[in-house]
Amino acid sequence: MCGIVGIVSHSPVNQGIYDALTVLQHRGQDAAGIMTDDRGTLATRKDNGLVRDVFRTRHMRRLRGNIGIGHVRYPTSGWSSAAEAQPFYVNSPYGICLAHNGNLTNTEELKTQLIQKDRRHLNTGSDTEVLLNVFADELQRQNGDRLLPGAVFAAVEGVHNRCSGGYAVVTMIIGHGIVAFRDPHGIRPVCIGSRTTSSGVEHMVASESVALDVLGFELVRDIRPGEAVYIESDGTLHSQQCGPAKGYTPCIFEYVYFARPDSIIDKISVYKSRLRMGERLADKILREHPDHDIDVVIPIPDSSRTSALQVAHHLGVKYREGFIKNRYIGRTFIMPGQEQRRRSVRQKLNAIGLEFGDKNVLLVDDSIVRGTTSRQIIEMAREAGARKVYFASASPAVRFPNVYGIDMPAAHEFVASGRSDTEVGEYIGADWLVYQDLEDLFLSVQYDNSEIADFDASCFSGDYVTADVTEQYLDDLERKRSDSAKKERKAQMRRLKNGQDELDEITPDSRAGAA
């Protein structure tokens, strides 16, 4: 999962993009990047790390221009190379910068086409670079001396015809403007906003509406599935449906976990969705445990707070904050490597013994993926003095990989894989466990937007909306995303670094002697 932003303004955009990326930091903590266009001159800064660490005053001063795009990244494959930080750039045609959120499901096929047929060079293993080159190739095919909106939209239609998967894209065409588009299923989110200044109307696109809010842009609407918007450098906005939409199935995990509660995605309030998740989860708890002896409901911070509050309200028991979170530790869900996740849980959370001592506690979390965090948190609750520890998940059991841009690992690494709900509860050490029903999750989210009849819920159901995900693809994905594969890649990076360090230590004289 990543965060994207693009701004076309009448004044410098470097600070605005920086602020927007800071607000979108929850979507990716591995790398950050900004590219700006200063009347045809490209400026760029990107590297591994948090937004606040990647950009210093000296970098911001170089990021001149009234047009720019930005990105925060987390790696779905676990490869944290700075070379794969976004945005990416290709110099022909025009000079194109591109950042994207999501994952292509036909990357290998596209790589073969680009290299063998289109004679384009790929320098990384990132599907973002693939997407950039497909868009560049399609734009190169358009005729005309000037870059007209029709040519841009034809290029985007070509991208939709060639690419499969979930993607939200922002591109900057040097000297011309910004293009943003969304996959034909609408899996990954992207919205557009505007604001009026004394110099005229300015436009912004972003993964979540909260990024618009902090910069004073008004949310205009979400970009529709298969649609593209082209904002010229003078602020003129064009939009067009680039081929037929194949559905309207946004990723439901955005509402469960990834998005900020103060965001509006596809006309749906994330906050209200989580309130309703809590209500329906409480109803299920009452059905399965009508004579419960819960003394207090405690959320696992942060994304489960809203749901937990409603669970407590509907159960008629106290709601308490029982865990204090260290804000300087990254989200364990998006940390590559099981050992790193395991070590970080106790660094991230600390229990308040007063809220647990001699009580029957219901812990509420947004989801359970590997079970590592849940198991350790339950241990912490018991160590803090809880008599009994119950556990409730605001979403159903995760049993299938997500292939559209969320780093959910190989299926065998899911705690629910091959286990019943009762067995999962026993594994994580809960006295009992309740999962949200998938139907109730759907009803909780779609309530605000009747236009959306379905969601991408593949990690819960195993149904992939692009209809091109085969067993072979999932097997290949498992080899790339499993913790063992990530561990090997990290070891490979260390070997490469150590080899370079050894090379650097060789003096010119010793090199000559060796020759």
Side-chain angles (χ1 to χ4, degrees), residues 99-316:
H100 110 282
N101 169 33
N103 185 63
L104 301 181
T105 55
N106 62 338
T107 301
E108 297 306 317
E109 175 188 341
L110 290 170
K111 284 181 180 178
T112 301
Q113 291 176 1
L114 288 168
I115 295 171
Q116 297 182 0
K117 182 180 177 182
D118 302 327
R119 300 295 188 264
R120 302 191 74 90
H121 174 71
L122 300 176
N123 200 48
T124 71
S126 171
D127 60 345
T128 306
E129 188 183 21
V130 171
L131 192 51
L132 167 61
N133 278 275
V134 171
F135 178 70
D137 182 65
E138 290 295 328
L139 197 59
Q140 187 81 63
R141 295 169 190 246
Q142 307 306 313
N143 297 319
D145 298 329
R146 296 174 54 238
L147 182 61
L148 299 175
V152 172
F153 295 136
V156 173
E157 184 172 1
V159 171
H160 291 328
N161 289 335
R162 294 171 65 176
C163 297
S164 182
Y167 50 90
V169 176
V170 60
T171 74
M172 181 171 66
I173 304 175
I174 305 300
H176 293 86
I178 282 179
V179 183
F181 56 92
R182 192 178 186 186
D183 68 82
H185 296 273
I187 299 172
R188 300 266 67 90
V190 60
C191 60
I192 183 168
S194 67
R195 69 183 178 190
T196 302
T197 69
S198 58
S199 301
V201 178
E202 300 176 336
H203 299 283
M204 177 178 176
V205 295
S207 294
E208 295 183 34
S209 64
V210 66
L212 307 178
D213 297 340
V214 299
L215 295 184
F217 284 81
E218 181 180 351
L219 173 63
V220 175
R221 61 182 178 86
D222 300 276
I223 296 177
R224 295 184 63 81
E227 184 188 19
V229 297
Y230 173 36
I231 310 164
E232 295 188 70
S233 54
D234 64 0
T236 304
L237 185 144
H238 312 269
S239 64
Q240 183 173 304
Q241 187 69 31
C242 300
K246 297 179 181 179
Y248 201 161
T249 52
C251 174
I252 204 163
F253 215 74
E254 290 279 355
Y255 303 93
V256 170
Y257 174 80
F258 264 107
R260 277 181 43 150
D262 45 346
S263 284
I264 306 292
I265 297 179
D266 290 308
K267 301 180 183 178
I268 298 171
S269 165
V270 176
Y271 175 74
K272 288 186 177 179
S273 295
R274 291 177 183 170
L275 285 177
R276 290 189 291 267
M277 289 178 206
E279 293 170 5
R280 292 183 178 276
L281 183 59
D283 289 341
K284 184 173 181 181
I285 291 171
L286 289 172
R287 290 196 304 271
E288 295 192 354
H289 302 279
D291 299 320
H292 70 81
D293 56 354
I294 301 168
D295 295 315
V296 63
V297 173
I298 293 177
I300 311 302
D302 284 315
S303 47
S304 66
R305 280 196 171 105
T306 310
S307 296
L309 185 63
Q310 286 300 90
V311 169
H313 177 72
H314 278 254
L315 293 182

Side-chain angles (χ1 to χ4, degrees), residues 329-371:
I329 300 294
R331 300 176 90 175
T332 54
F333 178 83
I334 61 177
M335 286 183 175
Q338 183 79 337
E339 286 302 319
Q340 189 175 357
R341 285 187 294 270
R342 183 178 294 114
R343 288 195 304 269
S344 72
V345 174
R346 288 181 180 267
Q347 295 173 338
K348 185 172 73 169
L349 295 176
N350 190 44
I352 300 175
L354 181 67
E355 298 296 351
F356 291 92
D358 202 32
K359 295 178 183 177
N360 298 331
V361 178
L362 172 63
L363 302 180
V364 178
D365 208 350
D366 51 75
S367 59
I368 307 172
V369 183
R370 297 170 178 86

Side-chain angles (χ1 to χ4, degrees), residues 353-476:
L354 181 67
E355 298 296 351
F356 291 92
D358 202 32
K359 295 178 183 177
N360 298 331
V361 178
L362 172 63
L363 302 180
V364 178
D365 208 350
D366 51 75
S367 59
I368 307 172
V369 183
R370 297 170 178 86
T372 306
T373 301
S374 304
R375 190 172 186 173
Q376 285 192 271
I377 288 174
I378 289 172
E379 289 175 0
M380 292 169 64
R382 295 193 189 281
E383 290 169 5
R387 283 198 311 267
K388 295 180 180 178
V389 182
Y390 309 120
F391 207 94
S393 169
S395 64
V398 175
R399 289 193 166 94
F400 303 93
N402 183 289
V403 302
Y404 301 125
I406 299 177
D407 187 20
M408 290 187 171
H412 74 270
E413 293 175 355
F414 298 135
V415 67
S417 177
R419 291 186 177 96
S420 67
D421 293 356
T422 300
E423 289 170 335
V424 173
E426 292 173 353
Y427 177 85
I428 65 175
D431 289 286
W432 51 251
L433 166 68
V434 172
Y435 278 111
Q436 182 88 269
D437 290 333
L438 185 57
E439 182 181 358
D440 283 341
L441 179 60
F442 274 35
L443 292 172
S444 298
V445 179
Q446 70 184 160
Y447 181 88
D448 287 329
N449 189 352
S450 59
E451 186 179 0
I452 297 176
D454 202 359
F455 294 89
D456 167 53
S458 51
C459 58
F460 305 125
S461 66
D463 297 327
Y464 297 96
V465 297
T466 55
D468 63 344
V469 178
T470 64
E471 288 298 325
Q472 180 62 50
Y473 179 85
L474 293 176
D475 289 342
D476 291 341

